Short mmCIF file of all heavy atoms in Angstrom, two decimals:
data_model
loop_
_atom_site.label_atom_id
_atom_site.label_comp_id
_atom_site.label_asym_id
_atom_site.label_seq_id
_atom_site.Cartn_x
_atom_site.Cartn_y
_atom_site.Cartn_z
N THR E 106 -3.40 9.79 -6.47
CA THR E 106 -4.81 10.16 -6.60
C THR E 106 -5.54 9.09 -7.46
O THR E 106 -4.90 8.31 -8.17
CB THR E 106 -5.02 11.51 -7.37
OG1 THR E 106 -4.57 11.37 -8.69
CG2 THR E 106 -4.19 12.62 -6.70
N GLY E 107 -6.84 9.13 -7.40
CA GLY E 107 -7.67 8.22 -8.22
C GLY E 107 -7.50 8.52 -9.70
O GLY E 107 -7.47 7.63 -10.52
N TYR E 108 -7.36 9.77 -9.99
CA TYR E 108 -7.18 10.21 -11.38
C TYR E 108 -5.89 9.53 -11.90
O TYR E 108 -5.88 8.95 -13.03
CB TYR E 108 -7.02 11.74 -11.41
CG TYR E 108 -7.28 12.39 -12.73
CD1 TYR E 108 -8.28 13.30 -12.89
CD2 TYR E 108 -6.45 12.11 -13.84
CE1 TYR E 108 -8.50 13.89 -14.09
CE2 TYR E 108 -6.69 12.70 -15.04
CZ TYR E 108 -7.72 13.60 -15.20
OH TYR E 108 -7.92 14.23 -16.39
N ASN E 111 -6.29 5.59 -12.35
CA ASN E 111 -6.98 5.22 -13.59
C ASN E 111 -6.08 5.40 -14.84
O ASN E 111 -5.99 4.50 -15.67
CB ASN E 111 -8.26 6.00 -13.74
CG ASN E 111 -9.35 5.50 -12.83
OD1 ASN E 111 -9.31 4.32 -12.43
ND2 ASN E 111 -10.31 6.35 -12.52
N HIS E 132 -16.62 8.36 -14.98
CA HIS E 132 -15.88 9.54 -14.51
C HIS E 132 -14.84 10.01 -15.55
O HIS E 132 -14.25 9.18 -16.27
CB HIS E 132 -15.16 9.15 -13.20
CG HIS E 132 -14.52 10.27 -12.48
ND1 HIS E 132 -13.19 10.58 -12.55
CD2 HIS E 132 -15.09 11.18 -11.65
CE1 HIS E 132 -12.92 11.64 -11.83
NE2 HIS E 132 -14.08 12.00 -11.27
N SER E 134 -11.86 10.84 -15.37
CA SER E 134 -10.49 10.27 -15.31
C SER E 134 -10.39 8.97 -16.07
O SER E 134 -9.35 8.68 -16.62
CB SER E 134 -10.07 10.08 -13.83
OG SER E 134 -10.96 9.16 -13.22
N ASP E 174 -17.55 3.04 -13.62
CA ASP E 174 -17.71 3.46 -12.24
C ASP E 174 -18.53 2.34 -11.57
O ASP E 174 -19.48 1.82 -12.16
CB ASP E 174 -18.60 4.74 -12.16
CG ASP E 174 -17.84 6.03 -12.55
OD1 ASP E 174 -16.84 5.97 -13.28
OD2 ASP E 174 -18.29 7.09 -12.10
N SER E 178 -20.75 8.65 -10.09
CA SER E 178 -20.46 9.76 -9.20
C SER E 178 -21.51 10.88 -9.21
O SER E 178 -21.66 11.58 -8.26
CB SER E 178 -19.08 10.35 -9.48
OG SER E 178 -18.96 10.70 -10.86
N ASP E 203 -14.13 1.12 -10.94
CA ASP E 203 -13.70 2.33 -10.22
C ASP E 203 -14.70 2.49 -9.06
O ASP E 203 -15.83 2.98 -9.26
CB ASP E 203 -13.75 3.54 -11.17
CG ASP E 203 -13.41 4.83 -10.52
OD1 ASP E 203 -13.56 4.93 -9.25
OD2 ASP E 203 -13.02 5.80 -11.21
N ALA E 205 -14.63 4.44 -6.45
CA ALA E 205 -14.36 5.69 -5.70
C ALA E 205 -15.47 5.99 -4.68
O ALA E 205 -15.21 6.45 -3.58
CB ALA E 205 -14.17 6.87 -6.65
N HIS E 206 -16.73 5.73 -5.08
CA HIS E 206 -17.83 6.10 -4.18
C HIS E 206 -18.44 4.90 -3.46
O HIS E 206 -19.43 5.05 -2.73
CB HIS E 206 -18.94 6.83 -5.00
CG HIS E 206 -18.44 8.09 -5.61
ND1 HIS E 206 -18.32 9.27 -4.93
CD2 HIS E 206 -17.89 8.31 -6.86
CE1 HIS E 206 -17.79 10.19 -5.74
NE2 HIS E 206 -17.51 9.63 -6.91
N MET E 232 -10.22 -0.53 -8.37
CA MET E 232 -9.60 0.73 -8.03
C MET E 232 -10.52 1.46 -7.08
O MET E 232 -11.73 1.45 -7.27
CB MET E 232 -9.44 1.62 -9.30
CG MET E 232 -8.54 2.79 -9.16
SD MET E 232 -9.08 4.21 -8.19
CE MET E 232 -10.42 4.79 -9.16
N THR E 234 -10.59 5.04 -4.24
CA THR E 234 -9.88 6.24 -3.76
C THR E 234 -9.87 6.29 -2.28
O THR E 234 -10.69 5.65 -1.60
CB THR E 234 -10.52 7.52 -4.38
OG1 THR E 234 -11.83 7.59 -3.91
CG2 THR E 234 -10.51 7.47 -5.90
N LYS E 237 -12.14 9.97 -0.34
CA LYS E 237 -13.59 10.08 -0.16
C LYS E 237 -14.00 9.43 1.20
O LYS E 237 -13.66 9.97 2.22
CB LYS E 237 -14.31 9.55 -1.43
CG LYS E 237 -13.99 10.52 -2.56
CD LYS E 237 -14.45 10.08 -3.88
CE LYS E 237 -14.11 11.18 -4.90
NZ LYS E 237 -13.99 10.72 -6.27
N GLY E 243 -5.47 10.03 -1.73
CA GLY E 243 -4.80 8.95 -2.43
C GLY E 243 -5.79 7.94 -3.05
O GLY E 243 -7.01 8.20 -3.07
C1 PLP K 1 -13.15 11.24 -7.38
C2 PLP K 1 -13.10 10.21 -8.42
C3 PLP K 1 -11.89 9.84 -9.01
C4 PLP K 1 -10.63 10.60 -8.78
O1 PLP K 1 -10.13 10.34 -7.55
P1 PLP K 1 -9.13 11.43 -6.88
O2 PLP K 1 -8.43 10.67 -5.85
O3 PLP K 1 -9.99 12.52 -6.37
O4 PLP K 1 -8.24 11.87 -8.00
C5 PLP K 1 -11.91 8.80 -9.91
N1 PLP K 1 -13.05 8.15 -10.21
C6 PLP K 1 -14.26 8.51 -9.69
C7 PLP K 1 -15.48 7.75 -10.05
C8 PLP K 1 -14.31 9.57 -8.73
O5 PLP K 1 -15.44 9.92 -8.25
#
Side-chain angles (χ1 to χ4, degrees):
T106 69
Y108 201 117
N111 284 336
H132 191 261
S134 61
D174 282 25
S178 54
D203 176 339
H206 301 276
M232 194 289 292
T234 61
K237 291 173 178 157

